[in-house]
Amino acid sequence: MEFFFAQILTGLANASSLFLVACGLSLIFGVTRIVNFAHGSLYMLGAYIGYSLMQVLPGGLGFWASILLASVAVGIIGILIEMLVLRPVYRAPELFQLVATFGVILVIQDLTLLIWGPEDLLGPRAPGLRGVFRIFGEPIPKYDLVVLAITPFIALALWYLITKTRVGVLVRAATQDREMVGALGVNQAWLFTGVFALGSALAGLGGALQLPKGGADLLMDFTILTPVFVVVVIGGMGSLPGAYLAAVIISVLNVFGITYVPQSTLVLMFIVMIVVLMVRPYGIFGREEVAGEHGQVGEPEDPIKPASSRIRILVAIGLAGLALLPLYGTSFSQVLAIDILIFALFAASLHFLLGLGGMVSFGHAAYYGGGAYVAALLVSHLNTPMELAFMLAPLGAGVAALAIGWVCLRSTGVYFAMLTLAFAQLLWSLVFQWGDVTGGDDGLVNIWPSDWLNETTAFFYFTLVMAVGGIVVLRHIAHSPFGYALRAARDSKRQAEATGIDTHKVQLLAFGFAGLMGGLAGALFVFSKGSVFPNELEIARSFDALIVVFLGGVKTLAGGVVGAGFFKGIEETLLRFEYWRLVMGLLIIGIVILAPEGVVGSFRKAVRRFSGANEGDRT
């Protein structure tokens, strides 16, 4: 009994830090509707700034003053991020702002590396709180108990701010209906700035408070990001009580999981999230999201029509030039072209799901990496011929996508996106831990194509045919009756169903087909590299494709393909520099601000303006 009590206290102490970061994210999303992926970076900055202040301010008073000042400093940084990066793109599609926050992540990572260096920093012990208390004979760190005692006061202060002050009334009103708040004359810009600053300060406070427990390192932003999002989604986006309850549930279960089922720690919180969202699709205390609230706001979308003759000629010329690459390019250029083609197919499959279907997936790498592993497992364990393994890989990914989609389509918006992430993490954990079959962290190697594709040039042409063919099929389906039904389900589900369209069936088939095409890209990948590792299933791979789609233009059919070529080309160039993330992040932020419709969408708008100006001159 004593041991269980100690475990619960440890879980509650961990929940305290998690709650501080999660409630900041929940506040920001509830008011601004921004899915702030940079929240983990603000948490990391709180730890680093707190560490630096603790080196200057001595004693117990200096320790606690450093924590408070670090929180204030991160709040000020949050104000700068909101005003300089996010405010210019508030009128863009809401999930396009996600790309801007990813750019902020890259910038903060390299700035942190530049200022504090690559070494992990060991946080100082809290003065007067070293050692442990023994409760029922079990040791409990003194600092954990203090953090556990502090958190209710912070939660009470937040409750008072939200429920008893005019600012809190405005925040709650904006959470329910921010358009009405603006119509009543409230300055939304400053309200958004204030809420973003408060959420950022809470993230910084959480980062500084955990210094004596874990120190500061350059990976802590991504380490905290996933648990925080899981907590916010389980509790309900925008709900502070929900965030606290979810933080307690996740932290306590994780402590017991480490003790009794250590293999479960990688996926336990995702299993909890899946179960909760299957029972309550909008979280424990969440509310149903407004249709069209994510991904399909901004300017009305133009009807999709087949490419003009001029565009087809230009594409044909480009493909002809690419087909002649072995005649004038090097072997390295062919390998680079193979990588870009594979990534373009992967991005196009996600664009089909996101752009046409309005379904935002944070776990699309499950089908890309899944297809690669299906092919690799067939070759490694069953000695399957490359040709047969290549055909079965996308089918396996497609079947997995249908099963996952059947569960995920119960939810919408961010909840849907987080469910896709949860299933991707489950697959990653399975691959990572089932070493006897999948090779674990060592992956599967020696997965080479058949002799007739062993040469680089032969595999280049094979990839060119498969990737371009897959993209053409995706475009053809977009112009088919199924594609129109899918867009109808995206734009107005009720009206589509009133016309006789089975929207759930259409969306499920689209989800499965997008997974199949992602699996095709994965099969090409594994035979091009001769190996596959668990990192092809990681969150970062899904986010790469997501960013590419938004950079290219989510409301254009060519967005995924153009974005993939643009992203891969820039990445290949910048990787030669030490602080390439800083440049990449600034580039992404610049594109988001200057070209909020993506590269293709902004280019199309510029052409229209130029054509209109010429017509005006002629008249």
Side-chain angles (χ1 to χ4, degrees), residues 52 70 97 156 168 191 198 205 388 448 469 475 499 586 602 619:
S52 296
Q97 298 155 9
L156 184 63
L191 177 63
L198 176 60
L205 179 62
L388 180 58
W448 297 109
R475 286 185 62 91
T499 62
L586 292 174
S602 298
T619 57

Side-chain angles (χ1 to χ4, degrees), residues 24-250:
L25 179 63
S26 189
L27 274 174
I28 290 172
F29 177 83
V31 175
T32 68
R33 313 306 293 174
I34 292 174
V35 183
N36 182 25
F37 278 146
H39 206 67
S41 299
L42 297 172
Y43 167 82
M44 179 177 70
L45 283 177
Y48 273 99
I49 294 174
Y51 175 87
S52 296
L53 290 172
M54 289 173 190
Q55 308 308 306
V56 178
L57 303 176
L61 182 62
F63 175 84
W64 295 106
S66 298
I67 290 177
L68 293 176
L69 289 174
S71 176
V72 172
V74 175
I76 294 173
I77 293 172
I79 291 175
L80 295 176
I81 292 172
E82 194 277 337
M83 295 181 67
L84 299 178
V85 178
L86 297 175
R87 187 178 293 183
V89 295
Y90 275 140
R91 294 188 180 275
E94 287 173 342
L95 277 174
F96 195 70
Q97 298 155 9
L98 176 152
V99 182
T101 63
F102 187 83
V104 172
I105 290 175
L106 296 178
V107 170
I108 290 179
Q109 273 193 333
D110 265 8
L111 287 179
T112 305
L113 174 64
L114 183 64
I115 295 171
W116 283 283
E119 299 296 328
D120 295 352
L121 303 179
L122 183 62
R125 296 294 181 184
L129 296 175
R130 299 181 181 182
V132 298
F133 284 119
R134 293 206 170 262
I135 301 178
F136 299 121
E138 293 293 330
I140 306 294
K142 294 180 180 179
Y143 186 74
D144 282 2
L145 293 176
V146 171
V147 172
L148 182 59
I150 289 173
T151 304
F153 290 100
I154 298 174
L156 184 63
L158 285 173
W159 172 82
Y160 184 85
L161 174 68
I162 298 298
T163 61
K164 301 296 182 181
T165 66
R166 184 175 183 275
V167 172
V169 171
L170 294 177
V171 169
R172 284 186 288 127
T175 302
Q176 297 297 322
D177 192 339
R178 66 179 184 180
E179 285 76 17
M180 182 60 70
V181 171
L184 292 175
V186 176
N187 189 326
Q188 289 195 58
W190 286 112
L191 177 63
F192 287 5
T193 301
V195 169
F196 200 92
L198 176 60
S200 301
L202 289 169
L205 179 62
L209 276 174
Q210 67 80 44
L211 269 174
K213 300 174 65 175
D217 62 81
L218 292 172
L219 296 177
M220 62 189 301
D221 53 348
F222 283 107
T223 302
I224 194 67
L225 188 61
T226 301
V228 166
F229 265 97
V230 169
V231 164
V232 172
V233 168
I234 290 176
M237 300 294 285
S239 171
L240 297 186
Y244 185 73
L245 178 60
V248 170
I249 293 172
I250 292 299

Side-chain angles (χ1 to χ4, degrees), residues 182-501:
L184 292 175
V186 176
N187 189 326
Q188 289 195 58
W190 286 112
L191 177 63
F192 287 5
T193 301
V195 169
F196 200 92
L198 176 60
S200 301
L202 289 169
L205 179 62
L209 276 174
Q210 67 80 44
L211 269 174
K213 300 174 65 175
D217 62 81
L218 292 172
L219 296 177
M220 62 189 301
D221 53 348
F222 283 107
T223 302
I224 194 67
L225 188 61
T226 301
V228 166
F229 265 97
V230 169
V231 164
V232 172
V233 168
I234 290 176
M237 300 294 285
S239 171
L240 297 186
Y244 185 73
L245 178 60
V248 170
I249 293 172
I250 292 299
S251 298
V252 172
L253 285 178
N254 191 56
V255 168
F256 281 103
I258 291 174
T259 303
Y260 295 105
V261 192
Q263 297 85 356
S264 70
T265 55
L266 293 176
V267 297
L268 186 60
M269 61 182 173
F270 294 104
I271 294 174
V272 174
M273 184 173 71
I274 291 171
V275 172
V276 169
L277 292 186
M278 287 184 69
V279 177
R280 295 188 61 84
Y282 306 105
I284 298 174
F285 296 120
R287 64 180 178 88
E288 184 175 358
E289 294 182 300
V290 179
E293 201 168 43
H294 300 285
Q296 295 301 328
V297 289
E299 294 185 10
E301 180 180 350
D302 293 333
I304 295 177
K305 56 185 179 181
S308 64
S309 299
R310 181 185 302 176
I311 296 297
R312 292 183 181 185
I313 292 173
L314 290 175
V315 171
I317 292 173
L319 289 176
L322 187 59
L324 295 175
L325 179 64
L327 299 180
Y328 60 85
T330 62
S331 178
F332 172 77
S333 65
Q334 293 181 53
V335 173
L336 179 60
I338 289 171
D339 291 343
I340 293 176
L341 286 167
I342 293 172
F343 194 69
L345 178 58
F346 176 41
S349 67
L350 176 60
H351 182 271
F352 179 82
L353 193 64
L354 173 58
L356 295 179
M359 296 174 278
V360 182
S361 173
F362 288 170
H364 203 62
Y367 319 115
Y368 175 73
Y373 264 99
V374 168
L377 289 170
L378 288 172
V379 172
S380 296
H381 295 289
L382 300 178
N383 293 320
T384 306
M386 174 261 180
E387 294 80 3
L388 180 58
F390 183 82
M391 289 189 291
L392 292 176
L395 291 178
V399 170
L402 285 173
I404 292 172
W406 183 80
V407 177
C408 294
L409 285 170
R410 298 168 182 263
S411 300
T412 59
V414 175
Y415 300 98
F416 171 87
M418 289 301 295
L419 271 177
T420 63
L421 175 62
F423 279 105
Q425 283 297 102
L426 289 176
L427 287 176
W428 171 82
S429 175
L430 177 66
V431 168
F432 186 81
Q433 294 183 331
W434 201 5
D436 293 339
V437 176
T438 64
D441 196 32
D442 294 329
L444 296 172
V445 297
N446 294 322
I447 316 297
W448 297 109
S450 300
D451 292 340
W452 63 282
L453 289 175
N454 256 339
E455 294 295 327
T456 301
T457 300
F459 198 84
F460 165 76
Y461 282 118
F462 179 74
T463 304
L464 179 65
V465 171
M466 289 296 168
V468 173
I471 293 169
V472 169
V473 169
L474 287 167
R475 286 185 62 91
H476 179 74
I477 292 178
H479 294 294
S480 70
F482 179 81
Y484 287 109
L486 182 60
R487 290 198 293 279
R490 176 200 67 190
D491 294 335
S492 181
K493 196 169 186 177
R494 290 182 180 177
Q495 292 182 9
E497 289 174 346
T499 62
I501 297 174

